[in-house]
């Protein structure tokens, strides 16, 4: 699922070099308008502030820094970039240092009739969602901002798959 994300025709990327943060939009073989939203997630993972929103027209086979700033993160904060367009959605993040994760509570429901799992973050950022079971999922590698929801479709590999699904979530500690 992580490779599937990296193989999208357009992705977001963030790096930091000498205190300068750069947010990139990377386009494979696609030209289209992409809405870019840059946010800072608080160190307690419960709130975020939008610091930049723009529309960028991608070029084929390109990687372009669409946002640049110095020293924007305080201790424990996370820089997040969401991009959205005809290709779908992508999210990238940057945090100084090692990534330590811990379990976090989420709300979820499994609709066996529709073969979907609806997942909603509670008041805290969810860095990773893991759904396991005897099924193929349309996604199983994503993050959620506080109170954000996502619906994941699945294809059961046997008639009991919907009953054996396990949904776990983790946040950055």
């Amino acid at each position: 699922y992580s490779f599937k994300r990296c193989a999208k025709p357009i992705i977001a990327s963030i790096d930091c070099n000498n205190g300068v943060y750069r947010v990139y939009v990377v386009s494979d073989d696609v030209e289209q308008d992409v809405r870019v939203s840059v946010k800072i997630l608080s160190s307690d993972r419960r709130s975020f502030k939008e610091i930049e929103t723009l529309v960028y027209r991608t070029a084929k086979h390109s990687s372009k820094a669409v946002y640049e700033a110095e020293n924007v993160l305080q201790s424990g904060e996370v820089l997040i970039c969401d991009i959205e367009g005809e290709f779908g959605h992508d999210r990238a993040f940057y945090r100084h240092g090692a990534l330590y994760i811990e379990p976090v509570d989420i709300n979820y429901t499994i609709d066996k009739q529709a073969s979907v799992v609806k997942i909603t973050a509670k008041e805290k950022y969810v860095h990773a969602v893991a759904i396991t079971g005897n099924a193929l999922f349309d996604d199983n590698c994503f993050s959620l901002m506080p109170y954000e929801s996502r619906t994941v479709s699945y294809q059961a590999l046997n008639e009991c798959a919907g009953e054996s699904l396990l949904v776990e979530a983790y946040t950055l500690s």
Side-chain angles (χ1 to χ4, degrees):
Y1 296 100
S2 190
F3 180 77
K4 183 178 172 183
R5 181 241 165 210
C6 294
K8 288 181 184 176
I10 299 176
I11 63 170
S13 179
I14 303 172
D15 78 356
C16 180
N17 193 1
N18 296 323
V20 178
Y21 299 85
R22 288 181 184 84
V23 173
Y24 293 87
V25 174
V26 181
S27 178
D28 208 9
D29 191 22
V30 181
E31 290 182 19
Q32 65 179 257
D33 289 335
V34 176
R35 183 179 178 276
V36 180
S37 173
V38 182
K39 306 168 186 70
I40 295 178
L41 180 67
S42 64
S43 58
D44 68 2
R45 312 292 176 247
R46 296 180 185 277
S47 62
F48 60 92
K49 64 180 175 183
E50 194 120 4
I51 57 174
E52 182 75 30
T53 301
L54 59 102
V55 175
Y56 169 70
R57 178 83 180 168
T58 64
K60 290 183 179 183
H61 309 293
S62 68
S63 175
K64 171 82 171 161
V66 296
Y67 173 81
E68 185 176 301
E70 289 186 44
N71 303 316
V72 295
L73 294 183
Q74 302 299 316
S75 178
E77 292 180 331
V78 179
L79 189 62
I80 294 178
C81 175
D82 284 305
I83 61 173
E84 209 169 327
E86 291 175 25
F87 73 95
H89 170 265
D90 190 47
R91 177 174 287 151
F93 74 95
Y94 184 93
R95 176 179 177 214
H96 291 292
L99 294 178
Y100 299 105
I101 60 171
E102 62 188 22
V104 64
D105 283 336
I106 56 169
N107 293 323
Y108 69 91
T109 57
I110 300 171
D111 182 341
K112 291 178 254 179
Q113 294 285 63
S115 297
V116 297
V117 180
K118 183 172 183 182
I119 303 151
T120 303
K122 291 186 177 180
E123 67 278 348
K124 216 170 190 185
Y125 169 74
V126 177
H127 188 68
V129 172
I131 311 168
T132 55
N134 200 11
L136 298 174
F137 304 97
D138 69 344
D139 200 351
N140 195 15
C141 181
F142 56 90
S143 63
L144 296 170
M145 298 301 285
Y147 305 103
E148 183 179 18
S149 293
R150 179 94 178 258
T151 300
V152 176
S153 299
Y154 67 91
Q155 178 183 358
L157 297 178
N158 64 38
E159 62 277 350
C160 299
E163 286 138 31
S164 63
L165 297 182
L166 174 65
V167 181
E168 299 174 291
Y170 302 89
T171 191
L172 299 173
S173 56

